[in-house]
Amino acid sequence: MLRESGTLPETVEVLVLGAGIAGHCAALAAAEAGAQVLLLEKSGQPGGSSAMAGGGFAFSGTDLTISAGQDDSLEAFRRDLFESGQGQNSPALIDRFLENQLEAYAFLKAHGVKFEIYAAVPRIHTTGTGRAVTNLHVAARAHPCIQFFSKTSAMRLHRSAPDGPVDRATVFYGDQELTITATRGIVLATGGFSRSREMLRVFAPELLDAVKHGGVANTGDGLMMATMLGAGLADIGHVTGSFGGAIRNYPHGVQGADEVPPLIFAFQAGGIIVNRNGQRFINEDQSYKTLSPAGMKQPGGIGFQIFDEKLIRLSLADSSVNNYAEALHGDYLRKADTIPELAARMGLDADALQATIARYNADVVNGTDGEFGRVKDLIAIDTPPYYIAATANALTSTYGGITTDGGMQVIDWLGEPIPGLFAAGEVVGGFHGAGYYSASSLSSSATFGMCAGRAAAGVPI
């Protein structure tokens, strides 16, 4: 899958920067519209954050949702997206997504992506971590109109005239600095900025030391290149962490530059969270986004997820989320036969932790969480061995970025289009608004990538 040698073409019809799910969908859609496409990836492997995500896609009205008996409508989907985004979503992007999401679902299936329905949560279609982008990469490599190169980073976009279209990109390929001309259009699908300390320091300083879970090449290159041309920004102020990023070998571990830790959300299935004092601090029956601010306020910004053997049996294979077996193997999760021994593994006060778990278990028996009012998944922690994971806020993605219109063309601060430049995926702001609707990242990235590729190739969408 790697391309480390060869000659980059000097001229192409459509240039796609970034080979995550949005970039692959853009490349395939443009090629199927008759364009010659060059797909470039900064890192050594295609996939980006898409290859690390849990593999859930939010779609409405598919064959799987219908067969599962899910009563849904596009209007209900629209309402839920705006409610999640607190009404700050871009109506143009919401409309584009809803109008094209079923076609994007069929597009993905046509290129080898296999879905299963997750009946427990409406609209969620699962593929397994990284599988979708792997299928798309196989399809892209097989397409005669697509050339792919890895280890190739774009640093600057150019216009031939001050008001003309964006038609060239400066890229670094090995030790060469090259200029590539795109005669039809350029698609930015370069991901977010979760791995850029410089941009985090500016846009989300409170997350500077969060556990990094996004693509290792997500350093904000597309954001930088587009804003140099005057592109507007949206949703940047709403970048938040997701509580549950695991810390290896706590308290001695230091996250490596290219390390991608697992996400552990055991609290959503019956586990509890305590702080360094061995005390619960919140109702755990909330989303990982909601828990993020409370987790940051705890000593050291650390929360310890605790559960027992009953929950370990629910470990998810082929996933970056709740794969307890892999987390245990990687020293992100530890186990012990007793609670005092478990406390010692993380340097917690054994008496305090025992008291916390004893009170919680008593509340489970009584059917009422007397401390925080938890109602869902009240499950006693009473079956050894016991498990503990030191977790903190994880920065999985930065769902804020440059502005586009409904045709996925990048627009400036005045709402005027920047000719020749299109965008899709995590680099785009406006779709999520002030929140995040679960599993909408992959489905919107695929949908907008498909639309952006067609638009860059000159096909009306």
Side-chain angles (χ1 to χ4, degrees), residues 107 171 173 236 261 374 379 400 413 425 455:
F107 180 88
V171 305
Y173 176 57
I236 293 286
R374 181 175 186 171
I379 301 172
W413 283 101

Side-chain angles (χ1 to χ4, degrees), residues 273-287:
I273 311 171
V274 302
N275 57 24
R276 283 180 176 174
N277 299 322
Q279 299 172 333
R280 291 174 67 211
F281 54 88
I282 197 169
N283 175 356
E284 295 91 348
D285 182 24
Q286 302 182 72
S287 76

Side-chain angles (χ1 to χ4, degrees), residues 236-286:
I236 293 286
H238 302 301
V239 175
T240 59
S242 300
F243 186 82
I247 303 172
R248 184 198 297 269
N249 193 29
Y250 180 87
H252 306 296
V254 176
Q255 184 178 359
D258 295 336
E259 181 184 351
V260 183
L263 298 176
I264 296 179
F265 299 147
F267 53 84
Q268 292 184 328
I272 65 170
I273 311 171
V274 302
N275 57 24
R276 283 180 176 174
N277 299 322
Q279 299 172 333
R280 291 174 67 211
F281 54 88
I282 197 169
N283 175 356
E284 295 91 348
D285 182 24
Q286 302 182 72

Side-chain angles (χ1 to χ4, degrees), residues 138-153:
V138 170
R141 293 303 301 270
H143 201 291
C145 294
I146 299 175
Q147 295 184 73
F148 170 75
F149 286 81
S150 63
K151 298 185 179 180
T152 308
S153 58

Side-chain angles (χ1 to χ4, degrees), residues 186-441:
I186 296 175
V187 179
L188 287 177
T190 51
F193 55 92
S194 61
R195 298 278 180 165
S196 170
R197 293 189 64 83
E198 293 77 12
M199 286 194 176
L200 288 174
R201 190 174 286 112
V202 172
F203 294 124
E206 71 280 4
L207 295 170
L208 192 61
D209 295 320
V211 175
K212 307 302 187 297
H213 186 78
V216 296
N218 282 15
T219 54
D221 299 352
L223 186 69
M224 177 183 67
M225 290 187 286
T227 53
M228 289 172 67
L229 296 174
L233 297 175
D235 297 347
I236 293 286
H238 302 301
V239 175
T240 59
S242 300
F243 186 82
I247 303 172
R248 184 198 297 269
N249 193 29
Y250 180 87
H252 306 296
V254 176
Q255 184 178 359
D258 295 336
E259 181 184 351
V260 183
L263 298 176
I264 296 179
F265 299 147
F267 53 84
Q268 292 184 328
I272 65 170
I273 311 171
V274 302
N275 57 24
R276 283 180 176 174
N277 299 322
Q279 299 172 333
R280 291 174 67 211
F281 54 88
I282 197 169
N283 175 356
E284 295 91 348
D285 182 24
Q286 302 182 72
S287 76
Y288 43 81
K289 292 290 187 183
T290 304
L291 288 171
S292 175
M296 291 177 67
K297 293 178 182 177
Q298 302 311 303
I302 305 294
F304 300 87
Q305 297 184 49
I306 298 174
F307 51 98
D308 65 11
E309 185 66 17
K310 297 191 297 294
L311 192 55
I312 204 75
R313 297 167 189 161
L314 303 178
S315 177
L316 300 178
D318 190 28
S319 173
S320 62
V321 179
N322 286 353
N323 189 334
Y324 306 132
E326 184 176 288
L328 187 63
H329 177 73
D331 206 22
Y332 293 99
L333 184 66
R334 297 176 182 177
K335 71 176 182 178
D337 292 327
T338 67
I339 297 301
E341 184 183 353
L342 196 73
R345 299 298 304 270
M346 294 294 186
L348 304 183
D349 184 283
D351 292 337
L353 184 60
Q354 276 195 301
T356 293
I357 293 177
R359 175 171 180 174
Y360 181 75
N361 287 345
D363 283 350
V364 171
V365 172
N366 295 328
T368 302
D369 177 9
E371 282 193 284
F372 298 102
R374 181 175 186 171
V375 175
K376 186 179 177 182
D377 293 319
L378 274 173
I379 301 172
I381 301 173
D382 58 4
T383 307
Y386 303 100
Y387 298 84
I388 188 168
T391 55
N393 275 320
L395 191 54
T396 58
S397 300
T398 49
Y399 298 127
I402 58 179
T403 50
T404 70
D405 60 19
M408 306 318 298
Q409 186 164 15
V410 177
I411 56 178
D412 65 20
W413 283 101
L414 300 178
E416 297 295 325
I418 299 177
L421 187 60
F422 304 85
E426 193 181 341
V427 73
V428 173
F431 176 73
H432 298 288
Y436 174 66
Y437 184 85
S438 185
S440 65
S441 176

Side-chain angles (χ1 to χ4, degrees), residues 107-166:
F107 180 88
L108 291 169
K109 289 181 66 177
H111 291 98
V113 180
K114 294 178 174 58
F115 293 99
E116 295 180 0
I117 195 72
Y118 185 44
V121 182
R123 305 187 182 118
I124 305 300
H125 299 65
T126 61
T127 62
T129 293
R131 287 191 177 183
V133 75
T134 297
N135 294 135
L136 293 172
H137 190 66
V138 170
R141 293 303 301 270
H143 201 291
C145 294
I146 299 175
Q147 295 184 73
F148 170 75
F149 286 81
S150 63
K151 298 185 179 180
T152 308
S153 58
M155 299 303 296
R156 188 180 292 270
L157 301 173
H158 308 273
R159 293 167 132 161
S160 297
D163 295 323
V166 179

